[in-house]
Amino acid sequence: MQTNELLQGNIKKQLMALSAPMLAGNILQQCYNAADSLIVGRFLGTEAFGAVGIAGSIMNLFVFVLGGFSIGVSVIFAQMYGGGNREGFRREVFTAVTAGGLLTLLLTLSSLFFLPSVLRGIHTPEELENYVRDYLHIILSGLLITYYNNLFSNLLQATGDTKTPLCFLFLSTCINLILDYMFIAVFSLGIRGAAGATVIAQAISMAGCGLYIKMQHGELLWRRADVGIHRGLLKRTFGLGLVSALQASSLYIGKILVQSTVNTLGTPGIAAYTATMRLEGLANSFGDSGCQGVSIFVSQNYGNGNERRVRQGVRQGLFLHVALGFVISCLMYLAAEPGIRLFLGNGSSPALEYGRDYIRVISLFYLLCFIGSNFVGYFKGVGRVVIPFIGTTCNITVRVIASHSLVPRWGVAGVAWATALGWFAVVGFLTTMYVTVVRGKGRTAS
């Protein structure tokens, strides 16, 4: 999709065209995560399965910090691309590659150093600690690969090309699953094999995506004249990137704190929560993709100075998010028990009951999550990333406090009720801020 296709024409079709490949990619990623967990659970047992859940909460903190930073940078990419500023685009690519790479190396060293303290802080059961540590040592050592993989994908998405990153994600997922099976089932490398497969697959995707950009979009890569310290871009890159990363980190720090509460329920609670996170991740794929689609659309039109089309995009996006959110909520409620059994097997167990109750409760409120995603897409698109950060912090604060109170009474279902309370808080905040911003612009224009 070229720039001019986002600056004119049918908005609803454009939003769906932008979001569909990202939705396919997110679903593909969630299916991989589910398959990865299934392979670990079937070949390595319940303890390893629970350990992957704990490790996933910590891993996602760092992965989504880097992903958040890349998304913040992609806002600059999209605004410059929509405004036709190719020189600025090339200089921003150089800035993001160098400055972001250094930041990632610092994050890698810090994460490895503080890992033992983090595992103790979240009450990791002693029988699972070795599994979690072995898995995370490999994953965290590959964070630089994760960053560049995200950055290259977001660069293409910012230009409106959401299909090519999907192709590389599909390739990565296939390689990942093959290596997972080989490393775990054939070579008996245990949980280290699962982590190694992930890093290798991401490295192949990163290399392929980078080569594609060089061959097909060489005009977007920096030239000798673009090399240097661009103070304005550096400030803007870290301003948008770090705030976007903080939003992602606050969400996953909160999830780690929630995980620490779930850990007090023992292995059945941990296994149930791990299974529900896999199912919920699939549902979140739809809202996240819509959010990304709205953000790209808004960024390019905002960079082109078309405020009226920006507001139209938000309205059309809200309609699509509400319709999709309603359908997903119904499907989650109906498929709660079969979905949990997919991970935990047949028969009756405390873990199965925990997981089923969680999904049935959370499905009643998923419409709120989708509405919030639409407004987050708008605020990221116009570069006001502080507002989603505040909203996410409010959301996760409510969720953590409520979880600590409700989990001892209601088990894993208490997390679902706490999450719903957090969604009510963030949607109220984002809606109020959007109305305030739009009215303020209307008064300025008049």
Side-chain angles (χ1 to χ4, degrees), residues 73-102:
V73 171
S74 73
V75 172
I76 304 174
F77 287 152
Q79 290 181 359
M80 287 183 171
Y81 196 78
N85 185 359
R86 295 297 183 267
E87 179 183 358
F89 192 105
R90 292 194 301 270
R91 292 184 173 183
E92 175 58 23
V93 173
F94 175 79
T95 300
V97 167
T98 54
L102 291 173

Side-chain angles (χ1 to χ4, degrees), residues 297-367:
F297 178 90
V298 167
S299 292
Q300 288 202 14
N301 283 278
Y302 184 80
N304 195 52
N306 196 338
E307 288 281 355
R308 181 171 177 271
R309 191 168 169 82
V310 166
R311 292 194 295 272
Q312 290 175 334
V314 175
R315 288 196 295 269
Q316 294 288 352
L318 183 60
F319 172 80
L320 293 172
H321 274 95
V322 169
L324 195 56
F326 178 77
V327 172
I328 294 299
S329 295
C330 293
L331 291 176
M332 286 182 69
Y333 188 88
L334 294 173
E337 185 162 333
I340 294 298
R341 287 188 182 278
L342 179 65
F343 295 96
L344 301 180
N346 296 319
S348 178
S349 69
L352 176 63
E353 294 178 10
Y354 277 142
R356 180 194 61 210
D357 293 345
Y358 176 97
I359 293 297
R360 286 181 176 172
V361 171
I362 201 69
S363 66
L364 301 176
F365 302 98
Y366 242 89
L367 188 60

Side-chain angles (χ1 to χ4, degrees), residues 372-390:
S373 294
N374 187 70
F375 288 122
V376 168
Y378 164 75
F379 285 117
K380 285 187 174 181
V382 298
R384 303 188 67 167
V385 292
V386 173
I387 293 176
F389 168 61
I390 295 173

Side-chain angles (χ1 to χ4, degrees), residues 60-198:
N60 284 338
L61 169 63
F62 297 102
V63 169
F64 279 84
V65 163
L66 297 177
F69 187 89
S70 299
I71 289 173
V73 171
S74 73
V75 172
I76 304 174
F77 287 152
Q79 290 181 359
M80 287 183 171
Y81 196 78
N85 185 359
R86 295 297 183 267
E87 179 183 358
F89 192 105
R90 292 194 301 270
R91 292 184 173 183
E92 175 58 23
V93 173
F94 175 79
T95 300
V97 167
T98 54
L102 291 173
L103 181 67
T104 303
L105 287 175
L106 179 62
L107 184 64
T108 298
L109 296 174
S110 301
S111 64
L112 290 171
F113 180 79
F114 288 108
L115 180 59
S117 300
V118 171
L119 294 181
R120 289 193 298 270
I122 64 172
H123 311 297
T124 304
E126 186 176 347
E127 67 271 17
L128 304 184
E129 187 170 341
N130 287 336
Y131 284 118
V132 177
R133 186 181 62 249
D134 290 346
Y135 186 89
L136 287 175
H137 275 165
I138 296 173
I139 291 293
L140 296 177
S141 297
L143 288 181
L144 191 62
I145 293 172
T146 301
Y147 171 67
Y148 285 132
N149 192 34
N150 286 334
L151 183 67
F152 295 158
S153 295
N154 283 319
L155 186 155
L156 289 172
Q157 290 171 0
T159 67
D161 181 2
T162 57
K163 295 179 180 179
T164 301
L166 172 62
C167 295
F168 285 108
L169 178 59
F170 179 75
L171 173 64
S172 173
T173 300
C174 292
I175 293 172
N176 207 339
L177 289 175
I178 293 171
L179 292 179
D180 255 342
Y181 182 81
M182 294 294 294
F183 289 170
I184 295 175
V186 178
F187 297 122
S188 301
L189 296 179
I191 203 165
R192 293 188 185 93
T198 298

